[in-house]
Amino acid sequence: MLLDLKVGNLTEPVSGRSWDGPEIHRQVARRIARFKRHQLAAGDRVFLPFGNRLEFFVELLAIWRLGACAVPIDARLTPFEIDTLVKAALPRLAVVDDATDAAVLEALGAAGVGVIDTVDTGDEEALAGRSRLDDDALILFTSGSTGAPKGVVHTHRSLRARWVSLREQLGVTAFERTLCLLPTHFGHGLICNCLFPWLSGQHLFITPPFKPEIIMRLGALLDEHRISFMSSVPSIWRLALKLARPPSAGTLQRVHCGSAPLSAHVWDEIRRWTGTRQVCNAYGITETGSWVAGLSDADCTAEDGLVGEGWGAVVKVLRAADTSAPLDADSECQAGEQGFVWLNTPALMKGYFQRDDLTESAVIDGWFLTGDIGFMDAQGRLVLRGRERDEINKGGMKIYPADIDAVVERFAHAADVCTFAIDDAIYGQTVGIAIVLNQRDDETVRALHKWMTVHLAEHKLPSRWWIVDEIPRTSRGKINRDAVNAACIGLPSLELPKILAGGEKA
């Protein structure tokens, strides 16, 4: 590997469990032997519908040592969503833990996927050769769990390119004791917050993701474990700044915030709370191996949306957003002029899994069209101003409206639907939905709610509903989600809790 692969220690602060280097290697060797018994071969894919615990990381290394590809999956997905992803990725095996829902286990078994409990290893140990650089290492599904899945494929080469660039730009000293509060099934939490420091020999502390009870004692957690680095998303700070006491030990050296850029006000509040000025927006996209730009030295004036310079990447802001023709140098925006953000990096994904059409719509000649709007300031630093994409950013979890629309469209009494983002004081954004129903009675609403709970993970369920006569569309027949939001937000939403409670009484 291009990095020093002396893995660091792993600790679960909540449970108190911890593995040092020799124990990690022993656990990996046992899993290699177990995978061999299950005849896992190079090129096979393995689902990991669990995460944020010690076993996840040794499963990952064992899979890679055998030349196979890991597919981390959100543990909260429904059996329907799991089945959709299984049909797309065709995994050979799935490794689960004691928290995996029985219905998910049944769905995996029904699809013909071999299921293994992560603690079922036996005492036999085995070794295996390392994967080749251009082998598929990770598939991270970013959308489509209810319809047409969109899986980002990273090879070992692209992952190492990301870690090497981070090491060159940031070093590893500040990451000596790294805390991860984020899920390990998406790029930010896995590739950068966890694997970059851990595979650079640093000590990784991993907690269950997005747990309010953990965030409320964040300051104590940082002090107790002498944490030097943590990454985050804005929703963590909305809670921590209000309810958690600041750390007092002075060990925190650096803090990243991803998912959505911080405002200058919140940025300064985080600096005061953490006790360090080295706080920055880490601009990360799954397709580019997450952290692709930021401030190597964050001791500067906080500004709304300020990201910084590329980390192992060339960042350009262009007037064009077209991947069907080569980029035109004349379309590059001047300093301060807003345009579309493009990235060129050796850490770019291999492509979208078996979706050449999506890859071609996002990549041209090695340049990736991010879908974000921004500008370069007079110092050559990227500043983000918004997102062109429709995704809903709920506390750092990306929710795609089309996924929810696809489920509702299959409900017998739904004539039309539009899902959109609405502002939320805690999560930043949450899910709103406008629905045209053939029948508007409470029983139909309860039936639709039940349908959605069966087919959607809990965090994707809309929190506010509007029953409307029609969904407005553009002249080209397309839905403008912002326009639907604007039409609904001033109107009373459905009293969903009251309607659902009425069904329980009946």
Side-chain angles (χ1 to χ4, degrees), residues 135-398:
D135 285 346
D136 293 350
L138 285 175
I139 298 177
L140 300 173
F141 284 102
T142 60
S143 68
S145 62
T146 65
K150 180 177 170 183
V152 173
V153 181
H154 274 290
T155 64
H156 292 281
R157 185 184 298 275
S158 64
L159 292 177
R160 294 175 193 186
R162 172 55 53 229
W163 299 329
V164 167
S165 68
L166 292 175
R167 198 171 203 176
E168 290 175 345
Q169 293 290 330
L170 305 175
V172 296
T173 301
F175 301 87
E176 181 181 3
R177 299 175 71 84
T178 288
L179 173 67
C180 181
L181 304 165
L182 306 175
T184 52
H185 66 264
F186 76 133
H188 182 178
L190 178 59
I191 297 173
C192 290
N193 195 166
C194 288
L195 295 182
F196 164 57
W198 183 54
L199 295 180
S200 297
Q202 310 308 302
H203 194 155
L204 177 63
F205 295 78
I206 186 78
T207 75
F210 297 140
K211 293 290 186 182
E213 62 270 26
I214 294 174
I215 297 171
M216 286 189 290
R217 59 179 300 268
L218 180 57
L221 192 68
L222 295 170
D223 287 344
E224 179 181 352
H225 297 282
R226 307 188 311 283
I227 298 300
S228 60
F229 172 81
M230 64 172 286
S231 198
S232 61
V233 294
S235 62
I236 287 176
W237 295 111
R238 289 188 184 97
L239 190 60
L241 292 172
K242 290 180 180 179
L243 301 176
R245 69 131 174 110
S248 57
T251 61
L252 200 56
Q253 298 179 39
R254 187 174 181 89
V255 176
H256 286 179
C257 191
S259 174
L262 296 168
S263 67
H265 173 71
V266 175
W267 192 336
D268 282 333
E269 282 192 333
I270 295 172
R271 280 174 165 171
R272 284 191 290 270
W273 190 93
T274 58
T276 177
R277 289 188 58 79
Q278 293 298 324
V279 176
C280 76
N281 289 307
Y283 183 39
I285 298 173
T286 303
E287 288 87 341
T288 61
S290 194
W291 300 342
V292 72
L295 294 167
S296 299
D297 182 359
D299 188 6
C300 64
T301 302
E303 300 177 24
D304 291 349
L306 174 61
V307 172
E309 64 275 0
W311 289 338
V314 178
V315 182
K316 287 187 179 296
V317 178
L318 306 179
R319 300 181 188 93
D322 181 11
T323 58
S324 64
L327 299 188
D328 181 359
D330 292 335
S331 71
E332 187 166 357
C333 295
Q334 300 298 313
E337 178 187 359
Q338 287 190 180
F340 299 94
V341 179
W342 292 75
L343 302 170
N344 185 291
T345 173
L348 183 64
M349 65 175 178
K350 177 181 177 180
Y352 294 111
F353 184 68
Q354 295 185 349
R355 294 295 306 273
D356 290 346
D357 58 325
L358 293 179
T359 304
E360 291 171 2
S361 69
V363 181
I364 177 71
D365 296 333
W367 285 91
F368 177 71
L369 175 61
T370 66
D372 292 322
I373 304 297
F375 63 88
M376 305 300 288
D377 69 10
Q379 296 172 271
R381 304 176 304 180
L382 175 65
V383 180
L384 291 181
R385 278 293 173 258
R387 293 182 179 274
E388 183 189 30
R389 296 171 290 188
D390 289 330
E391 67 188 16
I392 299 168
N393 190 339
K394 183 178 180 180
M397 300 303 299
K398 306 300 175 61

Side-chain angles (χ1 to χ4, degrees), residues 80-161:
F80 171 79
E81 292 173 295
I82 293 287
D83 185 61
T84 301
L85 297 184
V86 166
K87 290 175 180 175
L90 301 176
R92 172 89 167 72
L93 297 169
V95 183
V96 301
D97 69 0
D98 55 2
T100 305
D101 189 273
V104 169
L105 298 177
E106 184 179 349
L108 289 167
V113 180
V115 178
I116 304 170
D117 192 306
T118 185
V119 298
D120 182 15
T121 62
D123 296 327
E124 180 186 359
E125 298 180 10
L127 300 176
R130 297 167 187 258
S131 298
R132 295 169 297 181
L133 274 174
D134 293 314
D135 285 346
D136 293 350
L138 285 175
I139 298 177
L140 300 173
F141 284 102
T142 60
S143 68
S145 62
T146 65
K150 180 177 170 183
V152 173
V153 181
H154 274 290
T155 64
H156 292 281
R157 185 184 298 275
S158 64
L159 292 177
R160 294 175 193 186

